[in-house]
Amino acid sequence: MNTKRYSYMEENVNQTEKEMAENEKQNQTGKEVAENADREQTETIRGLTAQQVAERKEKGLWNKKAESATKTTKEIVKSNVFTYFNLIFLVIALLLIGVGAFRDLTFLPIIVANTLIGIVQEIRSKKVLDDLSILNSPKTRVIREGSKKEIPAEELVMDDIVELSAGGQIPADAVVLEGQLNVNESLLTGEADEIVKKNGDELLSGSFVVSGNCLAQLTKVGEESYISKLTHRATPVSYTHLTLPTI
C-alpha cells in the first residue's frame, strides 16, 4: 500500500513539474512575440525624414504658437470702467447732483455692479485661456527617421508621429494610430469626464492625457489647430461699436 501511495505521489509531482515547465515555456514564447511586435512596430513607423520636415517648415506647416488675444488685468479693468455708457451715466449723475436730485441716483449701484460683473467675467476667461497655453508642454517625444527624440512643441510639423503618455499635454490636433488614451478635455469643452481615445479617434490640442499611451499623427498644427482657433475667437468684444437706441 505504501509503495503504491508513494508511486502515485511521485506521478503527481512529475505531472506538476511538466505543467510548470510548459507554462514557463508559453510565457517565454509570449514575451518573445511581444518583443518582436514592438520591434516590428518601431520599424514600421519611421516618421518623417529631415527633408520632409524641412519642406513642411518652408510651407509654414509647423506648430507656431498662437498669440493670445486676451488683455492684461489692467487693460480689462480700464476697458470696463472707461466706456461710452459709463461716461454718459457719469455726466447724468453729476447733473442730478448739481440740482440736488439725489433720489434719482438709484441707477448708480446698477451701473457699478454691471461694471464689476464685466471685469470678473473677463478675468475668468483670461485665466482659462492662459491655462490652455501650449507652453505647459514644452517638450514632445517624436519619431523621425525611425528614432525617438524629444523636441520643443513649436518644432513639430504636420504629419509628425508623436508619442503621448500620462501626464502630458497634446501639443497639436492629431489622430490616434496605435494605443489607447484617457484624455481630459474639460478646459476645451467643459466636459468633466475622461474620454477614451482609441485607434482612429481625434485628439484636440490643449487637452491632457490622464492615462494610457499611444502613437498619434499630427493633422493640424499652428494657426489651424483647435487651441489656436479657440484663442483667436476669444478676442474681447469692443463696446465702442455699439450705438445707443433712439428714443
Side-chain angles (χ1 to χ4, degrees):
M1 289 292 292
N2 291 335
T3 304
K4 290 183 179 180
R5 184 181 300 173
Y6 290 142
S7 176
Y8 179 74
M9 291 176 63
E10 187 177 353
E11 288 179 0
N12 287 340
V13 170
N14 292 336
Q15 184 176 358
T16 303
E17 290 178 350
K18 287 181 181 179
E19 290 177 354
M20 291 176 63
E22 290 179 359
N23 290 336
E24 185 176 354
K25 186 176 180 180
Q26 290 177 356
N27 291 335
Q28 186 66 26
T29 303
K31 290 180 180 179
E32 292 177 357
V33 171
E35 290 175 357
N36 291 334
D38 291 339
R39 283 196 293 269
E40 289 177 1
Q41 174 181 327
T42 303
E43 292 175 358
T44 302
I45 301 179
R46 298 187 57 83
L48 300 178
T49 63
Q51 181 179 354
Q52 290 173 327
V53 172
E55 290 175 354
R56 283 161 175 74
K57 286 184 176 180
E58 288 180 0
K59 295 178 181 179
L61 301 176
W62 57 285
N63 200 35
K64 180 181 179 182
K65 181 177 177 292
E67 295 297 330
S68 176
T70 59
K71 301 176 181 179
T72 64
T73 303
K74 183 178 179 180
E75 290 174 337
I76 290 174
V77 173
K78 182 179 178 181
S79 63
N80 280 274
V81 172
F82 300 103
T83 64
Y84 182 58
F85 291 107
N86 287 351
L87 175 61
I88 293 176
F89 289 125
L90 176 62
V91 173
I92 294 174
L94 292 175
L95 293 175
L96 291 174
I97 292 172
V99 298
F102 297 104
R103 291 184 179 180
D104 295 328
L105 295 175
T106 53
F107 66 88
L108 282 181
I110 299 175
I111 302 303
V112 174
N114 182 65
T115 302
L116 291 176
I117 291 173
I119 293 173
V120 171
Q121 287 180 337
E122 282 200 39
I123 290 178
R124 285 182 177 177
S125 299
K126 168 184 167 56
K127 185 179 182 301
V128 171
L129 289 174
D130 290 343
D131 289 341
L132 293 176
S133 175
I134 298 301
L135 291 177
N136 290 335
S137 180
K139 295 284 187 178
T140 302
R141 185 174 297 177
V142 63
I143 299 177
R144 288 180 179 174
E145 297 184 330
S147 61
K148 296 180 182 179
K149 61 180 73 175
E150 283 193 354
I151 63 173
E154 292 187 0
E155 291 185 10
L156 295 170
V157 299
M158 177 84 79
D159 298 324
D160 256 333
I161 306 297
V162 296
E163 185 179 63
L164 303 172
S165 58
Q169 187 179 19
I170 299 173
D173 294 359
V175 60
V176 178
L177 295 180
E178 294 183 0
Q180 180 174 311
L181 296 176
N182 284 4
V183 301
N184 186 328
E185 298 179 350
S186 59
L187 290 177
L188 302 175
T189 63
E191 178 63 45
D193 297 333
E194 296 177 11
I195 302 175
V196 178
K197 298 290 185 178
K198 300 179 181 179
N199 293 3
D201 290 342
E202 294 183 353
L203 300 171
L204 298 179
S205 54
S207 53
F208 292 88
V209 181
V210 179
S211 62
N213 58 75
C214 79
L215 294 179
Q217 185 174 29
L218 303 187
T219 56
K220 294 180 181 179
V221 296
E223 301 291 333
E224 295 299 319
S225 66
Y226 184 87
I227 183 64
S228 296
K229 291 182 177 180
L230 183 63
T231 301
H232 287 310
R233 286 201 300 267
T235 305
V237 178
S238 175
Y239 294 97
T240 56
H241 299 292
L242 299 178
T243 56
L244 288 172
T246 56
I247 300 177

